[in-house]
Amino acid sequence: MHDRAGPRRGTARHRPVPPAQHPSEAIALITLDLHPIFRNNRDIDLAMRETLFRAARTGVDVVEIIPGKGTGQLKKRVLAFLGQKHIRKLYVRVETDATNAGRVLVHLR
């Protein structure tokens, strides 16, 4: 049972990631986990849009989106969302993790 009314949205966490080279240049990372909302297409789009725009506004370097492994349908939906013209303006590149099929990294401008 949830404390608030309405469907549960994806969980986004903001955490700094220590870089491999220089400790003074920490990379800011926001993680969006889509597991709690994978059945509701509107909530998925809204959660991704809110997270990407918030990350761009606050100067975050990377957004980690976790669609999960599953059948790959949610990952395809995430990549299609990221391919939209107005969303592509927000990032430099999208990286699908070769070692973890359930994770997509979006490197922002």
Side-chain angles (χ1 to χ4, degrees):
M1 184 155 259
H2 302 293
D3 294 331
R4 60 182 179 164
R8 184 174 176 199
R9 293 198 180 143
T11 56
R13 297 182 306 263
H14 181 86
R15 61 185 161 122
V17 174
Q21 298 172 352
H22 302 289
S24 63
E25 298 176 11
I27 297 173
L29 176 83
I30 290 182
T31 300
L32 174 63
D33 187 1
L34 296 176
H35 287 103
I37 57 169
F38 74 96
R39 294 181 191 261
N40 190 325
N41 292 332
R42 192 185 68 145
D43 284 348
I44 291 169
D45 288 348
L46 182 62
M48 286 192 294
R49 183 174 287 112
E50 285 177 351
T51 302
L52 286 171
F53 282 111
R54 180 170 31 114
R57 186 176 60 243
T58 58
V60 170
D61 301 313
V62 178
V63 174
E64 176 186 38
I65 301 174
I66 303 174
K69 293 180 183 178
T71 62
Q73 294 301 311
L74 186 53
K75 183 175 181 178
K76 287 179 188 175
R77 180 168 181 78
V78 167
L79 294 175
F81 174 84
L82 293 171
Q84 296 178 51
K85 188 176 181 179
H86 68 284
I87 299 297
R88 281 196 319 253
K89 293 177 183 179
L90 297 173
Y91 63 85
V92 178
R93 76 178 195 273
V94 173
E95 180 182 344
T96 54
D97 193 344
T99 60
N100 184 354
R103 173 170 106 150
V104 176
L105 299 174
V106 183
H107 299 268
L108 300 176
R109 295 189 186 275

